[in-house]
Amino acid sequence: MKLEELLSCIKTNKYIGNKDLEIQGLDIDSRKIKPGYLFIAIKGTATDGHSFINKAIEYGASAVLCMDLPEEINPEVTYIQVADTEDVVGQVATKFYGDPTSKMKLIGVTGTNGKTTIATLLFNMFKKMGYKCGLCSTVCNYIQDEAIPTSHTTPDPITLNQLLGRMADEGCAYAFMEVSSHAVAQKRIGGLKFAGGIFTNLTRDHLDYHKTFENYRDAKKAFFDALPKDAFAITNADDKNGMIMVQNTAATVKTYSMMRMADFNGKILEESFDGMYLSINDQEVSVPFIGRFNVYNLLAVYAATIMLGKDPLNTLVTLSTMTPVNGRFETIRSKNGVTAIVDYAHTPDALVNVLNTINDIVKGKSSVITVCGAGGNRDKGKRPIMAREAADHSDRVIITSDNPRFEKPEDIIKDMTDGLSPEQAQKVITITNRKEAIKAACLMAQPNDVILVAGKGHENYQEIEGVKHHFDDHEVIKECFGIN
C-alpha cells in the first residue's frame, strides 16, 4: 500500500521525504521491522519508541511515523509527524489490514470478571450454530479451529488488526473479543468498529496501572462511549456501575439481571456441583455451569446472541450444550469424594463469588479449604483484601505463591497476611511453594470436603524473575488424587 494512501485516514502535521513509497508492513516494535516497513514510534509507559527510530531504520524502515522528529534526518527515510502516535496507530493499522471489522460483526466484552467466559462461550455458540468465527481472548486467540497463542488480553493495535484481517480474509462472520481497560486507555482498539459491547461487572483491579478506581471505571466506560449508533450495548443492571457504563452511549442499550426487571432475566431453580437448572426469560434450561456469577455470564451470552438476531429457543438449546471455559470453576473429584475446584479468581470479588457458590452448595455440611495467593508487580492494595475474603468464606486457608514475577513470594504473602484479624489468622497457614500448598490442602481434606485452588486457572506456568516455569494446578491436584 502506498504511504500516502495509508496515512489518508489520519491528520498529519509534517511530512519530510517521499510520499510515494510502497509500504510492505508496519510495527511499533523496532526489532520486528523489515525492509520497506513503516515504524510507528509510541511513547509507552515503560519505554519511548522514539529512542528506537535509528534502530528501526537499521532494520530497514523506509518511513517513520512519530510525534517528535529526530535531530538527525536520514535523507533516504520519510518522516511523518503527528500530534499523538498512540491516537492514530489503530487507524493506520486498520487501514493497512483492509478495515477487517467492516467485513464482519465484532463484539467486545469488558468488565473486571467474566470476560473470558462470555467471549469464549459466544465464540463456541456461533461456531455450533454453523458460523465461521474468531476469538481474541486471555486464554488463546482462535480463527475457527486454529489456535493462535496470546500474551495479552487485548493485543497491540497492529497485532490485533493483523489477526482480525486474517479472520476477515478467511470468511469469519463474527469475532468476539475481550476488551481490557489497558486496551481502551492505550487506544489499542482505535479504528475498530464494534457491532456490540457487553459490560460484566466492575470491582477493584489494575490499580497499579490506573491509580484510582475512577480512572479504571472511566477506561471501561470509554469503550461504550465510542460505540456507534447502529451497535448494541448490553449491561449488567445488578452492578452499581452497570448503568453508568452506558449513560453516554449512542448504541441501543439492553440490560440483564437476576434481581430486578430487565430485558434479559435469569433465576437459579436448582444447583449442584454438576450444574444448574435455570429460568431465562421464563424459559427453563439445564446447563453444566455452577454459581450466580455464571448465571450473569450466561445471561450476557444469551442477550448478545438475541441482539445478533438469533432465535431465542434455538439459542437456549445451544446454550445447554456449552461447557465451562478451561480454568473457570473446573471440578476434579477424588476417589474418596473430595471435590477440587480450579478457578482463575484473582480479584477479591471473583474470589468471593466462587466461595459463595461453593458455600451455597455445601450448606455448611462440608469443609471448604482455599489455596490462593496474589500476583507480583500488580495492585498491592488487593492483597490483604483477598486474604480476608478467603478467611471469611473458608474453613481453612493456605496462602501461597501465585506468579511472583520480580517480587519475593514471601513479601507478597506477608502483604496478604498483614490484613488478617487475629480470628481470621487462626484459619490461615502459609506455604510458599505452590505445589506443597496444594498437596497440604489435599491431605487436610476429608470425604465430601471442597478444595478451591484459586488465582491461576487456565495458566500452565508460574512466572518467577521473568521466566515462565511449567506449573499446572490441575496436574498437581490429579497427582494428589491419584488420577492419571
Side-chain angles (χ1 to χ4, degrees):
M1 183 180 288
K2 294 288 185 185
L3 179 62
E4 190 169 23
E5 181 191 351
L6 176 60
L7 301 183
S8 63
C9 61
I10 64 169
K11 184 179 184 297
T12 57
N13 293 349
K14 192 172 185 178
Y15 252 106
I16 301 175
N18 181 14
K19 294 182 181 181
D20 194 38
L21 291 173
E22 190 69 32
I23 297 299
Q24 305 296 328
L26 55 149
D27 218 300
I28 58 174
D29 186 338
S30 62
R31 295 165 297 184
K32 296 179 181 177
I33 293 295
K34 296 177 183 176
Y37 270 43
L38 168 68
F39 174 63
I40 305 173
I42 304 280
K43 290 186 177 179
T45 52
T47 57
D48 184 351
H50 291 75
S51 305
F52 301 98
I53 288 175
N54 287 336
K55 184 60 68 177
I57 292 170
E58 283 179 29
Y59 283 128
S62 56
V64 173
L65 185 66
C66 57
M67 294 165 62
D68 304 322
L69 291 167
E71 291 182 11
E72 292 183 22
I73 300 296
N74 187 320
E76 296 180 8
V77 176
T78 298
Y79 298 84
I80 311 96
Q81 187 182 42
V82 295
D84 189 340
T85 44
E86 193 172 67
D87 275 345
V88 303
V89 61
Q91 298 167 59
V92 174
T94 293
K95 180 83 172 176
F96 184 81
Y97 288 104
D99 194 7
T101 52
S102 67
K103 301 167 188 172
M104 59 187 173
K105 291 191 174 179
L106 175 65
I107 310 302
V109 187
T110 196
T112 306
N113 302 310
K115 295 188 296 295
T116 300
T117 294
I118 292 169
T120 305
L121 287 179
L122 279 167
F123 170 70
N124 289 332
M125 281 272 287
F126 277 75
K127 271 177 61 183
K128 206 148 205 172
M129 288 178 171
Y131 297 98
K132 202 161 189 181
C133 301
L135 175 67
C136 298
S137 153
T138 304
V139 179
C140 191
N141 298 322
Y142 282 90
I143 301 175
Q144 198 65 0
D145 296 321
E146 181 191 351
I148 300 162
T150 181
S151 58
H152 292 81
T153 299
T154 314
D156 69 80
I158 294 169
T159 304
L160 186 53
N161 275 278
Q162 188 177 34
L163 178 63
L164 290 167
R166 277 197 58 202
M167 290 177 188
D169 290 344
E170 295 187 28
C172 290
Y174 298 93
F176 304 98
M177 178 191 299
E178 292 184 50
V179 178
S180 68
S181 55
H182 290 72
V184 180
Q186 295 170 6
K187 317 286 178 63
R188 292 186 217 162
I189 56 173
L192 302 182
K193 183 175 186 260
F194 286 86
I198 300 168
F199 171 69
T200 64
N201 48 64
L202 200 70
T203 60
R204 181 191 178 109
D205 201 14
H206 301 306
L207 297 198
D208 53 306
Y209 175 79
H210 295 287
K211 306 305 178 190
T212 69
F213 182 82
E214 289 71 26
N215 290 344
Y216 176 51
R217 178 199 64 205
D218 291 348
K220 299 284 189 188
K221 182 178 177 296
F223 169 64
F224 294 96
D225 291 350
L227 287 177
K229 190 176 180 181
D230 60 350
F232 59 79
I234 297 170
T235 191
N236 181 354
D238 294 343
D239 188 280
K240 62 183 179 182
N241 289 287
M243 300 316 295
I244 292 173
M245 288 293 136
V246 296
Q247 65 186 10
N248 299 117
T249 189
T252 299
V253 175
K254 296 291 179 180
T255 56
Y256 63 97
S257 169
M258 289 183 72
M259 299 192 294
R260 66 200 77 221
M261 287 300 295
D263 298 294
F264 303 96
N265 282 102
K267 184 167 64 174
I268 299 173
L269 303 177
E270 294 177 21
E271 183 175 28
S272 72
F273 280 123
D274 296 316
M276 295 182 289
Y277 196 55
L278 306 178
S279 170
I280 294 180
N281 277 12
D282 298 322
Q283 294 288 321
E284 294 180 3
V285 61
S286 178
V287 294
F289 293 82
I290 307 162
R292 284 174 62 86
F293 61 95
N294 266 325
V295 180
Y296 285 107
N297 292 337
L298 294 169
L299 278 173
V301 170
Y302 177 80
T305 307
I306 301 306
M307 292 304 293
L308 288 168
K310 307 311 168 195
D311 175 71
L313 187 57
N314 185 42
T315 297
L316 282 178
V317 170
T318 310
L319 199 64
S320 71
T321 67
M322 295 292 102
T323 53
V325 176
N326 181 28
R328 269 63 176 179
F329 214 98
E330 277 191 90
T331 57
I332 303 169
R333 302 275 175 81
S334 76
K335 293 167 187 173
N336 68 339
V338 176
T339 299
I341 294 165
V342 176
D343 195 89
Y344 189 52
H346 61 284
T347 66
D349 184 67
L351 193 60
V352 170
N353 284 338
V354 174
L355 284 167
N356 279 343
T357 297
I358 294 169
N359 283 306
D360 285 346
I361 295 171
V362 301
K363 294 180 169 54
K365 295 175 183 175
S366 306
S367 291
V368 178
I369 304 165
T370 297
V371 180
C372 66
N377 303 106
R378 297 292 187 267
D379 178 11
K380 292 186 178 183
K382 72 181 181 184
R383 293 174 184 174
I385 304 172
M386 288 190 70
R388 288 195 295 268
E389 297 291 15
D392 284 344
H393 294 84
S394 311
D395 296 288
R396 298 293 303 274
V397 178
I398 303 174
I399 294 178
T400 188
S401 178
D402 191 290
N403 287 322
R405 298 185 176 90
F406 292 97
E407 286 192 72
K408 289 182 178 178
E410 295 81 5
D411 292 343
I412 300 169
I413 291 169
K414 185 175 186 303
D415 285 343
M416 294 182 76
T417 56
D418 280 351
L420 297 170
S421 68
E423 294 78 14
Q424 290 168 330
Q426 288 179 3
K427 293 183 178 182
V428 177
I429 63 171
T430 64
I431 301 175
T432 303
N433 183 294
R434 190 174 180 91
K435 184 172 185 177
E436 294 304 318
I438 295 171
K439 281 184 176 179
C442 292
L443 287 170
M444 284 180 194
Q446 300 298 309
N448 300 317
D449 284 352
V450 180
I451 301 166
L452 170 64
V453 181
K456 293 180 60 58
H458 64 279
E459 293 177 352
N460 60 0
Y461 62 84
Q462 255 194 314
E463 189 175 342
I464 302 168
E465 294 293 339
V467 178
K468 288 184 177 180
H469 303 267
H470 179 78
F471 189 94
D472 190 322
D473 289 344
H474 306 77
E475 291 176 5
V476 179
I477 293 166
K478 287 178 179 178
E479 181 186 325
C480 293
F481 285 177
I483 300 171
N484 293 328

